[in-house]
Amino acid sequence: LLIILALALIYAWQPLRLTAQRLQNGWQRDLAATLRELRQHGNDAATWLTLCGLGFLYGILHAIGPGHGKAIIATFTLSQPTARRQTLAIATGGALLQGVSAILWVALAMGLLHRFIADAVAQTLWLNRANAALIIAIGAYILYRHRPRRRHDVHCVCGHDHHHHDTPTTSALTPWAAIIAIGIRPCSGAVLSLAVAWSWGIAAAGMAMTLAIACGTALTITTIALLCYHGKQRLARRLLRDETRFARLTQTLALAGGLALVILAALLWQADGSALPSPTNPVGLPR
């Protein structure tokens, strides 16, 4: 089953990514057009609202497509002993951290290092690589923590007089690992649009748009997290009288999620070079 899921993910990854990218490019053009209008007509309240509204919708669309945030929050929620409040904190914190990460990166690249737009976007490759490495580490830890263990009884040859259980002895994964793994990789569209706003002297509008994108992303990821959480709770209630069966189901979900994270991180690492927007990306950028 795990092999079939892995093959299905590999087969469907590229078409889903390209479809989502085409839709996002359309929203990026609208964002660029709104930024240009704001640059030409000054601080108009209606244009600010339009910009933030488009950013919010873009964030929802960006989060609907295949991505690392959904995989991380789903795996973490299904495999780790998290409460509802903790699940919401991971989803919201990770999405908002994406916006903060984009702002800090553009401020560093263009504000302090005086890089060009294409350089600021292209050099997010290092953040993407760090994100892929962190996802691999999380996936590997989950696989290690939930690995199958041999079960011994009282008469086993190991000489122990107590029962050995299949429950893991290592500590649960900290929620901060999931938050950082989601948020360290900024949305490339947000970085691109913010870099345009920074170069046009309307950095405040660009930051507001970026935070609106993060809020839209948070809405989608939070919805997915709640679905996973309540689905797990419903299964727990159904299997309440059969703790062994529920433990095995949790272990299977954890192993599947850990393997999916490792495969996803490998795909992200491999696709980083081609997935970054090019300097000639037709989103209304100045040459």
Side-chain angles (χ1 to χ4, degrees):
L1 179 61
L2 293 178
I3 294 175
I4 292 174
L5 289 175
L7 292 176
L9 177 63
I10 294 174
Y11 178 79
W13 174 262
Q14 191 68 10
L16 289 174
R17 188 179 70 85
L18 292 177
T19 301
Q21 189 63 47
R22 283 195 295 267
L23 293 174
Q24 292 178 34
N25 285 342
W27 283 108
Q28 285 178 4
R29 296 187 188 97
D30 293 337
L31 286 173
T34 308
L35 285 172
R36 185 184 295 109
E37 183 178 353
L38 187 63
R39 179 194 186 192
Q40 294 173 351
H41 297 90
N43 290 327
D44 181 70
T47 308
W48 271 74
L49 291 176
T50 301
L51 180 66
C52 292
L54 287 173
F56 183 77
L57 294 176
Y58 175 82
I60 295 176
L61 178 64
H62 171 72
I64 288 176
H68 67 291
K70 281 77 67 182
I72 293 172
I73 192 64
T75 302
F76 197 94
T77 303
L78 293 175
S79 64
Q80 305 297 307
T82 57
R84 184 172 182 269
R85 182 180 301 178
Q86 195 176 42
T87 301
L88 291 175
I90 294 172
T92 305
L96 294 180
L97 184 58
Q98 280 188 333
V100 175
S101 177
I103 292 174
L104 292 178
W105 180 259
V106 173
L108 174 65
M110 301 190 68
L112 296 179
L113 301 180
H114 304 289
R115 300 290 186 181
F116 294 108
I117 294 175
D119 295 330
V121 175
Q123 289 176 2
T124 57
L125 174 65
W126 299 107
L127 290 179
N128 298 344
R129 291 285 171 84
N131 172 252
L134 183 56
I135 294 175
I136 289 178
I138 291 176
Y141 181 85
I142 291 176
L143 289 174
Y144 172 77
R145 182 174 185 266
H146 294 274
R147 70 192 186 279
R149 290 175 171 82
R150 285 192 309 171
R151 178 174 302 196
H152 305 282
D153 54 24
V154 182
H155 306 290
C156 68
V157 295
C158 65
H160 294 166
D161 295 329
H162 58 276
H163 290 275
H164 297 274
H165 301 285
D166 289 337
T167 55
T169 58
T170 52
S171 59
L173 192 64
T174 173
W176 281 106
I179 293 175
I180 295 174
I182 294 173
I184 195 177
R185 178 189 174 102
C187 169
S188 59
V191 173
L192 183 62
S193 301
L194 179 57
V196 173
W198 196 287
S199 67
W200 283 348
I202 48 175
M207 292 179 186
M209 172 205 64
T210 303
L211 293 178
I213 293 175
C215 289
T217 303
L219 177 63
T220 302
I221 295 182
T222 300
T223 302
I224 295 174
L226 288 177
L227 289 175
C228 293
Y229 175 81
H230 288 294
K232 181 181 178 180
Q233 295 302 312
R234 188 173 182 180
L235 279 175
R237 286 193 296 269
R238 287 189 175 185
L239 302 177
L240 188 61
R241 297 180 180 178
D242 193 347
E243 295 182 0
T244 303
R245 187 181 175 189
F246 180 70
R248 289 177 179 174
L249 178 61
T250 302
Q251 183 184 37
T252 301
L253 291 174
L255 292 174
L259 181 61
L261 287 181
V262 173
I263 295 174
L264 174 64
L267 291 172
L268 290 173
W269 187 288
Q270 182 180 6
D272 271 338
S274 59
L276 290 173
S278 65
T280 58
N281 195 345
V283 293
L285 292 179
R287 291 187 177 274

